Amino acid sequence: MIAQKIFLSHIPKSAGCSTRDVLNPDAVLHWSPMLRQKDFCIQKYISENSYLNFFKIGFVRNPWDRLVSCYHFFRQGNNHEWPKEDIREIKKMQEFNEFNDFVLDFKDNQRWWMEKFHFLNQHTWTHSSEGKLCLDYLGKVETIQKDVDLICDIISIPRMTIKKLNKSKRGHYIDYYSKESKEIVSSVYEKDIEYFGYKFGN
């Protein structure tokens, strides 16, 4: 299917800003109050907003890597890009000097953290409640340039080089995890890991 318009399901901390910058989508789902509701369904959202004929894309990321990115994103303090919008999470994240301390709190206070859409499961933006993929193309942060090239080919536009925006300065994510924190992420993001085929270390 070749569509003239692009719908981007912008998953937080999954190269959404970089993707928007290079592909300039016609419609974007980034955040909506509905995302916090248990009955939210991306399939219904697409249908009700008349995006069915759009070329629907999204990018996902290794859940272990994504949570490390979230940690650093809210640890920026005064350098955070949206301090007013994220003041609650910024202030809370300053309590943790170590990533694993944050993950333990994340486990114990999951409801509190999940009120911020950055921590929601990625499949909320990609799959229906029945586990059906609702996008026409699902790329991965780990292969983003290859995926952007293929998207450009599909919609018949010139290939463009992706720029890495909002990138935090840190080491490889595997170095952050203890055995316990690794298993916590495995449990919390079980469906993401299953749907997107991720493993710890890849």
Side-chain angles (χ1 to χ4, degrees):
M1 178 188 72
I2 299 178
Q4 294 182 345
K5 294 185 177 182
I6 302 174
F7 168 79
L8 171 65
S9 194
H10 178 168
I11 301 170
K13 308 312 298 172
S14 296
C17 291
S18 298
T19 308
R20 292 174 73 166
D21 180 66
V22 71
L23 293 176
N24 191 27
D26 301 277
V28 177
L29 169 63
H30 182 33
W31 177 84
S32 167
M34 293 184 297
L35 284 166
R36 293 178 177 175
Q37 299 177 9
K38 292 183 179 180
D39 60 349
F40 174 81
C41 179
I42 181 64
Q43 186 175 31
K44 183 179 179 182
Y45 177 88
I46 289 171
S47 177
E48 290 182 346
N49 288 277
S50 302
Y51 297 142
L52 288 172
N53 292 326
F54 285 47
F55 188 67
K56 300 174 288 296
I57 65 173
F59 282 81
V60 295
R61 183 178 190 172
N62 184 304
W64 290 279
D65 187 30
R66 180 172 175 252
L67 195 61
V68 172
S69 181
C70 284
Y71 170 75
H72 283 282
F73 182 69
F74 290 110
R75 283 279 298 174
Q76 294 178 63
N78 293 332
N79 294 321
H80 190 73
E81 293 180 83
W82 300 283
K84 292 183 180 180
E85 292 83 353
D86 297 336
I87 185 62
R88 189 187 77 145
E89 289 74 26
I90 293 171
K91 184 177 180 179
K92 179 68 175 177
M93 199 66 84
Q94 306 312 307
E95 298 178 8
F96 311 110
N97 292 321
E98 299 292 338
F99 172 75
N100 286 296
D101 293 334
F102 154 64
V103 178
L104 292 175
D105 188 82
F106 180 65
K107 175 189 176 184
D108 294 337
N109 299 289
Q110 192 175 143
R111 178 178 292 183
W112 190 94
W113 287 105
M114 288 293 184
E115 288 182 6
K116 192 64 178 178
F117 61 99
H118 290 75
F119 299 96
L120 293 176
N121 274 267
Q122 296 175 81
H123 70 265
T124 304
W125 279 265
T126 62
H127 286 68
S128 70
S129 56
E130 293 78 26
K132 175 186 176 182
L133 179 63
C134 299
L135 305 178
D136 300 307
Y137 191 98
L138 183 64
K140 291 187 173 182
V141 170
E142 296 78 14
T143 56
I144 189 168
Q145 186 60 62
K146 177 183 176 181
D147 290 315
V148 168
D149 287 344
L150 288 172
I151 290 170
C152 290
D153 291 347
I154 291 170
I155 62 177
S156 300
I157 63 173
R159 290 186 175 186
M160 294 170 280
T161 301
I162 198 79
K163 299 176 183 178
K164 295 182 178 180
L165 304 177
N166 296 334
K167 184 180 179 181
S168 59
K169 295 180 181 179
R170 58 182 177 84
H172 196 281
Y173 75 87
I174 62 173
D175 297 327
Y176 285 80
Y177 282 91
S178 65
K179 182 178 180 180
E180 183 180 12
S181 60
K182 172 188 170 183
E183 293 306 316
I184 290 171
V185 174
S186 298
S187 176
V188 174
Y189 296 110
E190 181 179 7
K191 281 192 175 181
D192 281 355
I193 294 166
E194 175 188 349
Y195 287 168
F196 309 133
Y198 280 114
K199 295 181 180 180
F200 186 80
N202 69 354

